[in-house]
Amino acid sequence: MSAADLYRTMRTIRRFEEQIVTLVNANEIAGVTHEYIGQEAVATGVCAALRDDDVITSTHRGHGHVIAKGADVPRMMAELLGRTTGLNRARGGSMHIADVSLGIYGANGIVAAGAPIAAGAAWAGLQAGSDRVAVCFFGDGAVNQGVLHETMNMAGIWRLPVLFVCENNGYAVSFAQEQATAGSLVERAAAYGMAAVRVDGMDVEAVRDAAGALVAAARAGGGPAFLECETYRFVGHHTAEATMGLGYRSDEEIARWRERDPLLVEAARLDAAAVAEIDASVEELLERALAFARESPRPEVSSARDYVYASGLVPREGVAV
Amino acid sequence: MARMRYQQALARALRDEMLRDPSVFVLGEDVRASLRGVTRGLAAELGDQRIIDTPISEQAFTGFAMGAALAGHRPVVEFQIPSLLFTAYEPIVNQAAKFRLMTGGQAKVPVTYVVPGSGARMGLAAQHSDHPYAMFAQAGVKTVVPATAADAYGLFVSAIRDDDPVVFFAPAAALGGREEVADDAGPIPLGVGRVHRSGDDVTVVAIGHLVRDALKVAEELAAPDADGGDPISVEVFDPRTIYPFDWAGLAASVRRTGRLVVLDDTNRSCGLAAEVVATAAEELADALVAPPRRITRADAPIPFAVELEVALLPSRAQLADAVRSVAAIGPRGALAQEAVR
């Protein structure tokens, strides 16, 4: 993927997220969302190493992964606005957004829950004789969930083509990574017998190159690998945090990381005209996405119990009829 | 037609489905050695990639099954101990069972979670004696608790073929039971109950191994008692599937008998019996001549000493007393038919 394409994807994620913040604050999107602002190089760089038939599992902070894996942005916007044209037909929202046809096995509301799902998909790929891989995205908070370690062990013993991508943004909500985690993340992963690499998560080309090498090795039968991306979120854990005044990070710390904004890092490798052209086309895409979402219908209340069972079973109502 | 044990019926159903459908595979702890007997011989016959021994990692292998299912497989996950489902509750209830709704119907998640030996089994104490089917029904996960070998065969086949997650509880106390299983036996649909014995006076809803107890009590009560009391005609209705429950089958039975007693090996609080009695009270009030009763497990963990264990489990004596108590209320037999008219 070219520098221009990498920048375009990151710019799309950034502007999508900024628009989401506005829409949440205006109550046009219900609930809270977890923005990916600052971490764009990770999803973009890793997904640049992937094919359409590769599988990813994502997190509560999932919009970036889903965009980078190729999901339709207008249908994402429609999902977040709770419209029937949304990727998940208004049943998932931000935290469960998915496009199974693109191998996106869902954002996930439970930290580290996507890990074994990715491993199962990777195993299925091997059974099918395919060289596809599965990527499990998770944050630094997930490294202290047992299921992640159970899964890394299983991927290790069965040599599954899983790339474990740890987005170390320094904080599990407000709890600093160095307070939460004993030892080193890559050393933990290496203990399971897999290649474990740390990379600058603010440089999309560095991420792409590191992920590309690990994915290529996994496709060739080399088993699982672990990629720690050192990154930072420029905004709160979720939209609502802006008004909460939690104060677990200093303004200086945020400003220092913003100097290494991944969009600035990559834009510096492009000429200004190319950047301006991409920026304009991203604005056009997002305007189209928002218009599409706003024009799309809201779900019928009578359909609230649809889509629960593949067999067509309809759950009982909460009142005797 | 072969008369076989419940456990053999499970093994036959699994093998039949694995031979029929190459996407079916088993994973779990010690499934190659087959501690529970359901997978015996299958690793040698079908290979290590279809009978997969996992590390002691219940959360991970349960979630793994979901990932394989999304990628086109039809996994069967075996749990050696019923209480392991507490550890696996998140990947089953919060991940697999919600995935279709959360994605607006994008995918199916055809995983079967099987516990070949659920419930108390004399002396296994608090952490190995649960029979946790109600908590899956409460979460809307398809849940099956077959009572007999033929039902175990047909419902296991259906569970594996079903496109949704299904939790399958084989009660430990039912595993040794024998029944004829037809050579050409097929699937038994989920959500359809079975009337094991017809009766006119009282409907007893019994689940899993308790069906056998209910049939014994029905037999006893069909004869005049020692004090010269009238015989009581008991209908034994086994829902077989706990979720979705066969409400129509229940209604058909209760509308004939006018009386209901539920025999259920889950805790009293928020247990399955509570749901059955509540639904009957709301939807069948016009048919009930006596207040419904329920006989359940006590609201307590199972203590080790066998007499203490037995003291907390639902018993035949409790059931017989409850049936007599409801039968004593309102007209019975021909009089009841008259009243209904």
Side-chain angles (χ1 to χ4, degrees):
Chain A
M1 192 177 265
S2 70
D5 287 338
L6 292 168
Y7 176 77
R8 178 188 303 279
T9 300
M10 291 198 296
R11 179 76 184 181
T12 304
I13 298 169
R14 173 69 55 89
R15 292 293 298 134
F16 183 86
E17 296 291 56
E18 289 174 347
Q19 207 165 64
I20 295 306
V21 172
T22 304
L23 293 164
V24 169
N25 289 337
N27 288 323
E28 205 170 334
I29 291 174
V32 294
T33 56
H34 304 82
E35 278 75 39
Y36 200 64
I37 294 171
Q39 301 180 208
E40 294 90 344
V42 179
T44 304
V46 170
C47 289
L50 300 182
R51 303 191 308 235
D52 281 354
D53 65 338
D54 293 323
V55 166
I56 66 166
T57 59
S58 175
T59 70
H60 56 287
R61 198 177 307 288
H63 306 164
H65 310 133
V66 176
I67 290 174
K69 190 66 168 61
D72 184 71
V73 172
R75 292 194 63 204
M76 286 183 69
M77 188 65 82
E79 183 61 31
L80 269 71
L81 264 67
R83 307 304 168 111
T84 57
T85 55
L87 278 179
N88 305 31
R89 294 190 170 99
R91 267 70 184 180
S94 168
M95 228 174 327
H96 308 302
I97 197 157
D99 187 339
V100 174
S101 70
L102 293 173
I104 302 166
Y105 285 7
N108 207 307
I110 300 297
V111 170
I117 299 170
W123 175 86
L126 286 183
Q127 297 303 305
S130 162
D131 66 349
R132 68 174 187 255
V133 302
V135 172
C136 168
F137 288 103
F138 53 92
D140 49 286
V143 303
N144 297 316
Q145 282 277 40
V147 71
L148 179 72
H149 291 272
E150 294 179 14
T151 303
M152 288 201 288
N153 177 61
M154 285 167 64
I157 56 173
W158 295 335
R159 310 306 297 159
L160 301 177
V162 182
L163 178 60
F164 295 92
V165 177
C166 178
E167 303 192 51
N168 184 355
N169 68 15
Y171 295 88
V173 189
S174 68
F175 198 36
Q177 192 256 326
E178 62 269 19
Q179 292 179 287
T181 303
S184 130
L185 303 190
V186 291
E187 284 171 20
R188 284 187 180 191
Y192 294 106
M194 64 181 78
V197 176
R198 185 183 292 133
V199 69
D200 176 3
M202 305 306 264
D203 181 345
V204 68
E205 297 193 12
V207 174
R208 177 199 59 192
D209 294 346
L214 296 173
V215 165
R219 286 198 205 290
F226 182 95
L227 181 63
E228 178 187 352
C229 302
E230 294 177 297
T231 185
Y232 198 78
R233 61 173 154 76
F234 294 164
V235 294
H237 166 66
H238 53 43
T239 342
E241 195 190 299
T243 59
M244 295 166 79
L246 300 184
Y248 58 89
R249 307 189 297 184
S250 69
D251 293 342
E252 294 73 27
E253 180 182 298
I254 298 170
R256 198 163 61 244
W257 278 92
R258 275 190 180 276
E259 287 170 16
R260 302 211 55 245
D261 184 326
L263 274 71
L264 297 179
V265 170
E266 194 60 13
R269 294 169 181 149
L270 296 165
D271 68 58
V275 169
E277 190 189 318
I278 291 168
D279 288 356
S281 74
V282 168
E283 293 310 302
E284 185 276 326
L285 169 66
L286 289 171
E287 279 168 28
R288 187 158 53 80
L290 187 56
F292 169 76
R294 283 174 168 161
E295 288 160 10
S296 294
R298 293 180 175 281
E300 295 288 339
V301 172
S302 61
S303 72
R305 290 172 293 138
D306 289 358
Y307 303 116
V308 179
Y309 301 100
S311 64
L313 174 67
V314 178
R316 285 197 295 175
E317 288 203 68
V319 61
V321 288
Chain B
M1 187 78 88
R3 192 165 171 80
M4 61 178 70
R5 285 183 198 279
Y6 190 119
Q7 194 171 25
Q8 291 173 300
L10 279 184
R12 192 185 125 192
L14 179 62
R15 182 172 178 276
D16 285 355
E17 287 308 291
M18 292 189 78
L19 293 175
R20 196 184 67 83
D21 180 352
S23 75
V24 178
F25 73 100
V26 179
L27 77 167
E29 291 151 357
D30 307 296
V31 290
R32 286 182 197 152
S34 191
L35 253 62
R36 292 279 169 252
V38 178
T39 49
R40 189 151 298 154
L42 288 179
E45 181 180 0
L46 299 171
D48 283 353
Q49 287 305 303
R50 296 192 67 193
I51 302 288
I52 301 177
D53 270 344
T54 62
I56 309 293
S57 303
E58 288 91 15
Q59 259 193 294
F61 69 67
T62 307
F64 180 100
M66 172 182 170
L70 290 175
H73 287 261
R74 210 167 265 282
V76 176
V77 187
E78 182 183 297
F79 296 91
Q80 289 185 13
I81 303 164
S83 315
L84 296 178
L85 290 172
F86 301 146
T87 300
Y89 201 64
E90 201 285 327
I92 298 174
V93 170
N94 205 35
Q95 304 291 334
K98 290 179 180 171
F99 192 77
R100 187 170 177 84
L101 176 275
M102 292 192 297
T103 60
Q106 288 181 42
K108 57 188 184 185
V109 189
V111 185
T112 303
Y113 311 92
V114 59
V115 186
S118 187
R121 50 170 89 193
M122 299 300 120
L124 290 190
Q127 292 180 339
H128 277 35
S129 298
D130 294 291
H131 202 359
Y133 49 83
M135 67 186 220
F136 290 96
Q138 213 267 341
V141 183
K142 292 179 179 178
T143 304
V144 187
V145 191
T148 70
D151 285 353
Y153 180 88
L155 287 164
F156 202 20
V157 168
S158 284
I160 293 169
R161 292 185 192 176
D162 200 274
D163 283 339
D164 294 308
V166 180
V167 187
F168 188 105
F169 290 91
L175 288 178
R178 291 174 186 272
E179 192 177 27
E180 299 288 337
V181 180
D183 294 337
D184 61 348
I188 293 170
L190 304 186
V192 179
R194 172 177 173 184
V195 176
H196 284 266
R197 178 191 175 106
S198 296
D200 299 323
D201 297 332
V202 179
T203 297
V204 170
V205 172
I207 294 147
H209 62 291
L210 297 178
V211 167
R212 193 181 51 205
D213 293 313
L215 288 169
K216 286 252 168 57
V217 168
E219 188 71 38
E220 286 164 24
L221 297 178
D225 69 18
D227 304 328
D230 287 340
I232 301 169
S233 172
V234 173
E235 176 148 305
V236 177
F237 176 75
D238 170 11
R240 302 194 287 194
T241 304
I242 302 306
Y243 192 96
F245 195 92
D246 183 359
W247 296 116
L250 176 77
S253 180
V254 171
R255 287 201 175 282
R256 281 195 310 101
T257 63
R259 297 178 186 81
L260 172 64
V261 178
V262 185
L263 183 63
D264 170 30
D265 191 17
T266 55
N267 281 21
R268 197 158 184 83
S269 294
C270 307
L272 189 76
E275 179 55 38
V276 174
V277 166
T279 300
E282 278 199 311
E283 300 180 15
L284 302 172
D286 59 314
L288 287 167
V289 298
R293 296 281 310 269
R294 61 194 156 122
I295 307 300
T296 69
R297 192 182 272 218
D299 270 351
I302 298 296
F304 168 65
V306 170
E307 61 270 43
L308 300 179
E309 171 175 333
V310 170
L312 298 188
L313 299 176
S315 73
R316 286 183 204 163
Q318 291 168 336
L319 176 63
D321 285 349
V323 171
R324 285 195 197 95
S325 77
V326 297
I329 302 171
R332 287 202 275 133
L335 285 175
Q337 296 304 315
E338 200 63 34
V340 169
R341 274 186 220 112

